[in-house]
Amino acid sequence: MTERGEPPMDVAGPGGMTPEPAAPPVAAVPAAPVATPAPVPRVPQTGAGLSGEPGSGAVIDGRTAPEPSPAGVAGEGVSAGEDAGEGAGEGAVRRVSTWNIANVLTIARLAIVPVFTAFLFVEGEGWRLAALGVFLLASLTDQLDGWLARKYALITDFGKIADPIADKALIGAALLSLSYLGEIPWWITVVIIAREAGVTLLRFLVIRHGVIPASYGGKVKTVLQIVAIALYIVPGVPGVIRWVAMGLALVVTVGTGADYVVRAVRLRQVARSARS
């Protein structure tokens, strides 16, 4: 028996063993070149219906990507990831209609301001209570539309602009009307309105550097203003209680205004250092 890897041996007879003659060398034949297919250019997919015809999906790595189904395209009123199903792409964008419930409440609050003002100027305790009801209802919609917009992702560009305008219109109309009626000193009205206008202007001035989000102090300020104004609308409330409530609202209003100024300066400094 021969071991694996040893050349075979022939028996020459009893005298011994002679090795098998080696085979003549074989000339090396060069291997034939193997043709490789040319790479297929990668064509980016531009969305559903690339050519407007069936089967016009994008070509990616030599394969044709199928067109996404209508359920996978997020459009107005279609929620990406919910109505679109699990197969929807991660880049689907959910479009929110401007006429959603949150924006409707904002428009209603803005439209109710003249009604509230008219009730204030009509003499009689009943009209004062009606003005109070309208004011509290409008203030409630301010909290409700913000909660709905955040919970159900109904935030729109229109809402971002209309909501603060409606808030300031309601507070401003109440302060101006009560000052005109001689129930709130004019200097308090001027300070509060100047603060609101100044913060709004400040946000627009630094918007190219970033957005200053609403702070917790700003929310407290709004609640205190609503409580103080409501106490001035209700007839028969002692003056001391009214002054204490309005004093707290005024202090928080001025303090949060100063905080917005500090945050705007810091935001501008951070933006400048990032560019440099």
Side-chain angles (χ1 to χ4, degrees):
M1 298 290 295
T2 60
E3 297 291 338
R4 182 171 300 180
E6 294 182 0
M9 307 293 288
D10 290 339
V11 180
M17 300 177 65
T18 59
E20 183 181 354
V26 181
V29 180
V34 179
T36 57
V40 180
R42 184 183 180 94
V43 181
Q45 185 174 0
T46 57
L50 297 174
S51 63
E53 300 176 359
S56 60
V59 179
I60 301 178
D61 294 337
R63 295 172 294 178
T64 302
E67 283 191 48
S69 60
V73 180
E76 186 171 345
V78 179
S79 174
E82 296 179 358
D83 297 340
E86 296 180 358
E90 296 181 357
V93 179
R94 182 178 184 272
R95 296 182 181 178
V96 181
S97 173
T98 302
W99 295 104
N100 57 66
I101 183 62
N103 289 344
V104 169
L105 288 175
T106 300
I107 295 173
R109 182 167 72 258
L110 189 60
I112 211 174
V113 170
V115 179
F116 160 71
T117 305
F119 287 175
L120 272 181
F121 280 92
V122 180
E123 294 183 1
E125 184 175 339
W127 289 106
R128 270 301 179 100
L129 294 177
L132 175 65
V134 173
F135 178 76
L136 294 179
L137 178 63
S139 302
L140 178 63
T141 62
D142 177 27
Q143 306 300 320
L144 182 60
D145 62 6
W147 178 80
L148 289 173
R150 292 187 298 269
K151 181 175 179 60
Y152 297 103
L154 301 177
I155 300 174
T156 61
D157 292 337
F158 174 80
K160 293 178 183 178
I161 298 175
D163 184 70
I165 291 177
D167 298 342
K168 291 172 175 55
L170 179 64
I171 298 297
L175 290 172
L176 290 172
S177 299
L178 291 172
S179 293
Y180 183 83
L181 292 172
E183 300 183 29
I184 292 181
W186 275 105
W187 69 268
I188 294 179
T189 299
V190 170
V191 169
I192 294 178
I193 292 180
R195 182 270 184 197
E196 300 295 341
V199 169
T200 302
L201 179 61
L202 186 64
R203 281 179 166 178
F204 278 109
L205 290 177
V206 299
I207 196 170
R208 61 191 182 94
H209 302 300
V211 177
I212 304 177
S215 62
Y216 179 76
K219 298 177 182 179
V220 174
K221 176 265 305 180
T222 301
V223 173
L224 290 177
Q225 287 179 354
I226 292 173
V227 171
I229 292 173
L231 291 175
Y232 274 90
I233 296 175
V234 177
V237 176
V240 176
I241 298 177
R242 289 176 173 176
W243 270 103
V244 170
M246 183 58 72
L248 289 175
L250 190 62
V251 170
V252 176
T253 298
V254 175
T256 54
D259 176 65
Y260 274 109
V261 173
V262 173
R263 293 164 67 187
V265 172
R266 290 178 179 174
L267 178 63
R268 188 177 180 182
Q269 291 175 349
V270 170
R272 284 184 174 181
S273 62
R275 286 197 303 266
S276 60

